[in-house]
Amino acid sequence: MSEEEILEDFKKRGLNIHKVQPTPLNRRRFLELTTLGIGGLGLLYQSNSALAAQALPEERADKTAPVIDMSHCKLPTIPTRIFASSNTGVDDNRNTLGLQRLTCAGFDIQNPEVTRRQYLRFGGTDQQRASDLQNMATGAVEVPKLLLAARGGYGAMRLLESVDWKSLGSLMKEKGSILAGFSDITAIQCALLAKGNISSLAAPMLYTEFGKPQPDIISCQGFVEAITNPRLKISLPQQNTLTLSTPLSGVLWGGNLSVVSALAGSAYMPNPKGGIVFLEEVGEQPYQVERMLYSLYLSGAFKNQQAIVLGAFSGAGEDSYDARYNLASVIEHLGQVTGLPIYTGLPFGHVARKQSFPLGAMCHLTPTASGITLEFEGYPTIDSQLIYPEGLWH
C-alpha cells in the first residue's frame, strides 16, 4: 500500500495526520471519530443478568491532547481491544497519546471509548469492567488478536467471579489471542491459566507505558519482541541460591507477589505440576515481602515446582529494625524452606527497561557459563510485518 493510501486510511479513521506541523486534536473528537471509524463498538454489551446495565460512569473533562506525526505509521490491521480491569487512567492526554501510538504501530483499537470510563478509583463499574472480558467469553463480542490492559493498580480481583474463564480461554486459543499486562492484571492472568489453561503476556500497558510523554524505548522493543518471536530467549546473570547443573523445563507462571499471594487457596490460583514460579513486587519492605512469600509457602504454592525466578522488587527500602534483614536474606531463607533454586535478575516489574515474556507457557531454563537462559515456546504471536515498532514511542 502506498503512503498516500495509508494516509487516506488514517484520515478516514479520524486520526490526526500531518507531515510537517501537526495541530492539536481534541480528545473527545479523536475518540468519537475512532469509535466510528476503527470499528469501535461504542456500546457495552450485557450478556446476562449478572452484568445488568448500570448508570454511565463519570467522564473527565476534555483537554487538548498532544498529537504525533502519523505520516510514517503502519496501516492498523491487528484487531485489538483495551480492557480496563483495574484503576482508571487519570490523565486523559496519556490515554489519547497511548491510543495514537498503538494505532500508529499497527494495532486496530476497536473500543477506545473504555478509556473514558471512571467509577470511584476504577475504570468503570465492576459490571462494566467485567463485561470487557465476559462479553468475549459469551461470544457477544469477537475475541481480538490482542487484549491490552489499560493499566494496573487495584480492582481486577473484584471481577474474577463474573467471568467465564474457561470459555474465554477456549475462544482465545481458537483465535490465537494474546492478553497483555502486569501488576494488578496478574489476577486476570492467573485466572486465565487456572481456569482457561491459556497463556498470557507479562508486558507494558496502555496508560503506564505507551501513553507516557516519553515511553521507555527498551520496554517498547521488549514488548514487540515478545509478541513476534515464537522462541523468545532471556539471559540472566549467575545469581541463585542453588547451582543448577542440568536444564529443566516447566510452565512459568505467577506475576505480582501481592496479587499472587492474595489468590492463595482460591480456585484462581494456578499450580502447574513441575512449574517455574515468577514473582515481582514494588514498594514493600523485606518483612512484607517475606510474609507474602510465606503465605504462598504455607498454602502449598511451591510444592511440585522446580524453581523460582524473581524480577524487580523496586522501592523495597530498608528494614527499620535491622538493616541486615534485607531482600537478600529473605531470598536466602525462601530457598532454605522451599529447597528450590531461586534465580534473580529477570528484567521485569515496576521498573524501566522491561523485557516482556509469556506467563503460562513452557519455559526451558538452562545453565550457562555466565548464568542461565530462559527460552519460551508454545504461545501465540503476531506477524512482525504488521507492526511498526517505532510508532510505540514516537
Side-chain angles (χ1 to χ4, degrees):
M1 181 174 285
S2 68
E3 179 181 335
E4 289 73 18
E5 289 173 317
I6 292 176
L7 292 175
E8 182 61 30
D9 181 84
F10 271 76
K11 288 178 182 178
K12 289 178 181 178
R13 294 168 183 273
L15 295 173
N16 201 31
I17 311 299
H18 295 282
K19 284 191 175 183
V20 182
Q21 294 181 334
T23 56
L25 175 66
N26 177 275
R27 180 180 187 278
R28 180 181 290 266
R29 181 60 178 158
F30 168 78
L31 289 174
E32 286 175 350
L33 289 171
T34 52
T35 300
L36 293 173
I38 304 184
L41 297 174
L43 297 174
L44 188 69
Y45 288 80
Q46 302 295 339
S47 56
N48 56 42
S49 58
L51 300 176
Q54 299 236 342
L56 290 175
E58 59 185 285
E59 292 187 10
R60 295 173 292 279
D62 288 339
K63 298 178 182 179
T64 300
V67 295
I68 58 178
D69 181 356
M70 309 291 282
S71 61
H72 301 292
C73 296
K74 197 81 171 178
L75 180 67
T77 58
I78 304 167
T80 303
R81 294 186 67 83
I82 306 297
F83 67 96
S85 60
S86 306
N87 278 21
T88 187
V90 294
D91 185 344
D92 291 340
N93 290 345
R94 284 182 62 159
N95 284 323
T96 301
L97 194 53
L99 291 169
Q100 288 180 323
R101 285 192 175 118
L102 285 161
T103 302
C104 178
F107 297 94
D108 184 3
I109 310 296
Q110 299 174 346
N111 63 333
E113 68 278 359
V114 302
T115 63
R116 290 187 289 181
R117 296 188 323 218
Q118 180 175 0
Y119 176 74
L120 302 176
R121 65 175 291 147
F122 308 113
T125 64
D126 286 359
Q127 289 79 5
Q128 287 175 321
R129 291 181 294 118
S131 69
D132 289 343
L133 301 167
Q134 176 65 2
N135 288 340
M136 289 180 286
T138 62
V141 173
E142 186 175 358
V143 175
K145 183 62 180 179
L146 177 66
L147 276 163
L148 181 66
R151 67 170 302 177
Y154 170 69
M157 293 190 70
R158 295 171 60 149
L159 314 181
L160 296 183
E161 295 180 309
S162 299
V163 178
D164 185 341
W165 300 107
K166 183 177 181 180
S167 176
L168 180 58
S170 177
L171 291 170
M172 288 178 64
K173 281 183 181 179
E174 184 180 314
K175 292 283 188 177
S177 298
I178 303 168
L179 182 142
F182 78 109
S183 190
D184 194 54
I185 310 305
T186 295
I188 304 294
Q189 295 169 316
C190 284
L192 265 178
L193 181 57
K195 293 283 194 176
N197 192 31
I198 189 171
S199 67
S200 57
L201 193 73
M205 298 176 282
L206 169 71
Y207 185 89
T208 50
E209 189 61 64
F210 304 125
K212 286 180 179 177
Q214 296 294 329
D216 176 57
I217 295 178
I218 299 297
S219 296
C220 293
Q221 290 174 333
F223 171 76
V224 174
E225 183 184 10
I227 63 175
T228 60
N229 185 354
R231 296 287 296 190
L232 181 70
K233 181 182 290 187
I234 303 173
S235 297
L236 302 185
Q238 187 69 47
Q239 301 176 27
N240 59 301
T241 57
L242 295 174
T243 301
L244 181 68
S245 57
T246 58
L248 60 86
S249 299
V251 172
L252 188 141
W253 64 280
N256 179 259
L257 174 59
S258 295
V259 179
V260 175
S261 65
L263 292 175
S266 77
Y268 307 102
M269 179 70 163
N271 193 240
K273 186 176 181 180
I276 302 170
V277 186
F278 165 74
L279 298 168
E280 58 85 16
E281 191 50 85
V282 59
E284 302 286 356
Q285 290 189 38
Y287 81 92
Q288 295 169 314
V289 170
E290 184 172 294
R291 181 162 55 196
M292 290 184 285
L293 289 170
Y294 251 97
S295 176
L296 292 175
Y297 167 66
L298 294 173
S299 70
F302 296 123
K303 289 182 179 179
N304 302 316
Q305 303 301 296
Q306 298 186 79
I308 301 171
V309 177
L310 302 179
F313 281 70
S314 51
E318 186 177 274
D319 186 82
S320 58
Y321 285 89
D322 192 326
R324 294 172 298 177
Y325 178 58
N326 54 24
L327 283 176
S329 63
V330 169
I331 294 170
E332 181 181 4
H333 185 66
L334 178 64
Q336 292 172 354
V337 298
T338 63
L340 298 175
I342 303 176
Y343 295 89
T344 63
L346 181 55
F348 191 86
H350 293 73
V351 291
R353 304 173 69 87
K354 289 188 279 289
Q355 172 59 65
S356 301
F357 60 93
L359 289 168
M362 181 59 64
C363 175
H364 304 286
L365 196 156
T366 307
T368 66
S370 59
I372 62 168
T373 62
L374 305 175
E375 188 170 6
F376 301 87
E377 66 171 332
Y379 53 94
T381 56
I382 296 171
D383 185 354
S384 62
Q385 299 280 332
L386 303 177
I387 301 174
Y388 172 55
E390 289 84 351
L392 294 174
W393 60 82
H394 280 177

